[in-house]
């Protein structure tokens, strides 16, 4: 059911591009803080032996290219398509069950893990006043290197400001739906992040 909803949303966005004309394209980069929502798999052999896991989503960075399209009949509406390369950093710990509540008094093992991903982020945006705008969209993502599921399609909300077409700053919140952290350790391992992006157009029409 979730896949059907995602495909339907993507089809709607694809059809809407037909009424838009490309106005800008350029480099996009940024990063931000990560958040996780996990539920331990208590059937995991390590948990049965009296140890618990802690995988916290520390931060993310990304680099990509943005194609911006403006609505032909309404200049306040515009559409962004962003092919992205993403890097997500997690802090992973194994803790004795006795010390599972912070502050942890004993940590058996601690390490950092990195998820590499490719994504195509798409959003429809509305210019409120001057360069200030808001937007919403979806970001189908393929996690190349991960201990969790490889496919996710986070939804996103955005508020941004365009400085006279020269540079664009935006704050974006993304919320995922699948276990991309670790399917062996968790029955639920969803992630979300709050990121700041910078868009520098190379081409404007």
């Amino acid at each position: 059911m979730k896949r059907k909803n995602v495909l339907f949303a993507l089809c709607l966005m694809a059809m809407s591009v037909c009424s838009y004309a490309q106005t800008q394209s350029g480099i996009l980069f940024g990063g931000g803080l990560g958040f996780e929502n996990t539920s331990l798999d208590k059937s995991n052999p390590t948990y049965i032996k009296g140890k618990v896991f802690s995988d916290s989503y520390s931060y993310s960075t990304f680099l990509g290219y943005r194609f911006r399209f403006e609505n032909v009949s309404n200049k306040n509406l515009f559409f962004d398509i962003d092919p992205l390369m993403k890097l997500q950093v997690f802090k992973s710990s194994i803790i004795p069950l006795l010390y599972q509540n912070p502050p942890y008094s004993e940590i058996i093992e601690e390490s950092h893990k990195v998820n590499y991903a490719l994504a195509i982020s798409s959003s429809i945006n509305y210019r409120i006043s001057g360069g200030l705008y808001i937007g919403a969209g979806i970001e189908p993502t393929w996690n190349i290197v991960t201990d969790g599921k490889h496919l996710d399609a986070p939804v996103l909300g955005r508020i941004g400001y365009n400085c006279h077409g020269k540079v664009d700053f935006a704050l974006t919140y993304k919320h995922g739906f699948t276990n991309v952290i670790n399917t062996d350790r968790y029955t639920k391992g969803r992630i979300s992040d709050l990121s700041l992006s910078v868009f520098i157009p190379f081409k404007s029409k």
Side-chain angles (χ1 to χ4, degrees), residues 166-197:
K166 303 298 183 183
V167 64
D168 188 303
F169 299 96
L171 192 65
T172 303
Y173 176 76
K174 301 172 189 174
H175 182 83
F177 295 98
T178 61
N179 182 356
V180 299
I181 299 179
N182 193 311
T183 52
D184 292 328
R185 292 182 174 185
Y186 304 102
T187 56
K188 179 174 69 175
R190 301 172 184 172
I191 62 172
S192 57
D193 57 55
L194 183 65
S195 61
L196 177 66
S197 65

Side-chain angles (χ1 to χ4, degrees), residues 143-160:
N143 295 285
I144 303 171
V145 179
T146 178
D147 293 321
K149 294 183 178 180
H150 289 281
L151 296 177
D152 196 7
V155 294
L156 63 90
R158 173 176 295 146
I159 182 168

